[in-house]
Amino acid sequence: MKIVIVGAGAIGSLFGALLAKNNTVVLVGRAPHITAIQHNGLNINGKTHLHVKLSAVESVKDIPISPNLILLTVKSYDTETAIKQTLPLIRDETVVVSLQNGLDNIEKIEHIVDKDRIFAGVTTHGAIFSNPGVIRHTGKGKTILGELDGTRSKRLENIVRLFNEAGIETQVSDDVVKEIWAKAIINSSINPLTAFFNCKNGYLLENPLLHKIVEAISEESTNIAQAEGIKLTAPDMIQRTKEVIEDTASNYSSMLQSVQQRKKTEIDSMNGKLVTIGKQHRIDTSLNKILVELVTSLADG
Ligand SMILES: NC(=O)c1ccc[n+]([C@@H]2O[C@H](COP(=O)([O-])OP(=O)(O)OC[C@H]3O[C@@H](n4cnc5c(N)ncnc54)[C@H](OP(=O)(O)O)[C@@H]3O)[C@@H](O)[C@H]2O)c1
């Protein structure tokens, strides 16, 4: 299959390196990462060790193929710009898959490309950018893909098979929107607190006060999901959030890393979007609102 990965940072480069074993892959990203890949190939270390030679470009205009699959792996605040740049590549059979975190990516993509060519996905793999041309695979995880209307189509099954053949353990979901919400609830309860308190994930359960706050946020975010018609329950989401904290206890969350690197965070697409949706349903969003303000104040100051 011909695959273009738009947003070749940590997770996009990892998926690109794995998929390149059996497919034609082109990465689209930024210098100096792209320049390093052009000269020396892409190196993956950590949980996976790979050295891959593959095409990498800085502009969609330089893409030499007509892709069957476009994988979108930019941060949520870059979704609109990235998908607009990708439009000239889209042919009748092209499918766009978002593997991003956040609650507003699909609606942003839908504004620009036909809804029936969009798949959504979530992945629990962890990756960080080490140096130009080098990505560290920090945690092996699972990936879930689904059609937005829940159908188990042939094109979906083809892509899931292709991911599994590349060593990316992937399952089909008949309710991928619920999966996106579940991940957003978990992230909304972990990332902003770690960013504000400058701590590893595990500290959120070690500190009794933060432990209670995590539970309260998870419950508030789940209430917002339920108001939106998503079938998740607070006790289950609190439990899942705690399991993720335990499994990633020694990790620094992506939001904390962004704050430390003085980069933009995905807070608006996570807790910010939860506040917007909660307000539409006239339900309590006070904890998520405080988190947005705290993380925004970090960025400002
Ligand atoms: N990393 C993980 O472990 C992980 C796991 C699961 C899900 N996710 C999600 O996946 C998404 C990507 O995360 P990430 O950690 O891989 O982020 P990242 O390392 O920042 O990668 C995104 C890359 O895309 C580049 N980019 C932005 N706009 C572009 C455009 N128009 N054309 C080409 N390149 C563009 C960015 O460059 P600039 O920064 O220079 O703009 C950056 O290098 C996020 O939604 C994240 O929450 C990440």
Side-chain angles (χ1 to χ4, degrees), residues 6-12 28-30 73-76 78 81-82 85 99-101 123 125-127 129 183 263 266:
V6 181
I11 207 76
V28 192
R30 313 276 202 210
T73 55
V74 294
K75 290 272 174 74
S76 50
D78 283 324
T81 314
Q85 288 168 348
L99 279 178
Q100 305 158 280
N101 287 328
T123 184
H125 277 284
F129 180 82
K183 192 151 190 227
K263 285 185 161 183
E266 295 186 294

Side-chain angles (χ1 to χ4, degrees), residues 1-4 23-26 64-70 94 162:
M1 192 174 268
K2 293 177 191 153
I3 303 172
V4 168
N23 303 280
T24 304
V25 174
V26 182
I65 58 168
S66 233
N68 316 98
L69 169 62
I70 295 173
T94 313
L162 186 136

Side-chain angles (χ1 to χ4, degrees), residues 171-186:
Q171 288 172 356
V172 174
S173 169
D174 59 7
D175 194 352
V176 70
V177 175
K178 182 165 111 176
E179 305 293 343
I180 291 173
W181 270 89
K183 192 151 190 227
I185 291 167
I186 294 168

Side-chain angles (χ1 to χ4, degrees), residues 103 181 184 188 221 224 270-278 285 288:
L103 287 169
W181 270 89
S188 75
S221 298
I224 298 167
M270 276 180 212
N271 306 75
K273 189 68 187 173
L274 283 161
V275 172
T276 307
I277 296 170
T285 61
N288 277 289

Side-chain angles (χ1 to χ4, degrees), residues 275-289:
V275 172
T276 307
I277 296 170
K279 276 188 183 158
Q280 284 163 1
H281 294 288
R282 297 170 195 273
I283 61 170
D284 187 22
T285 61
S286 46
L287 292 173
N288 277 289
K289 191 164 178 289

Side-chain angles (χ1 to χ4, degrees), residues 5-15 28-31 33 57-60 72-79 81-83 85-86 98-102 105 122-129 135-136 138-139 183 187 191 254 263 266 270:
I5 299 189
V6 181
I11 207 76
S13 301
L14 172 67
F15 273 61
V28 192
R30 313 276 202 210
H33 185 52
V57 297
E58 284 179 62
S59 167
V60 169
L72 195 63
T73 55
V74 294
K75 290 272 174 74
S76 50
Y77 47 79
D78 283 324
T79 298
T81 314
I83 201 72
Q85 288 168 348
T86 314
S98 162
L99 279 178
Q100 305 158 280
N101 287 328
N105 293 300
V122 289
T123 184
T124 55
H125 277 284
I128 54 174
F129 180 82
I135 299 296
R136 187 160 187 79
T138 50
K183 192 151 190 227
N187 284 339
N191 289 13
S254 57
K263 285 185 161 183
E266 295 186 294
M270 276 180 212

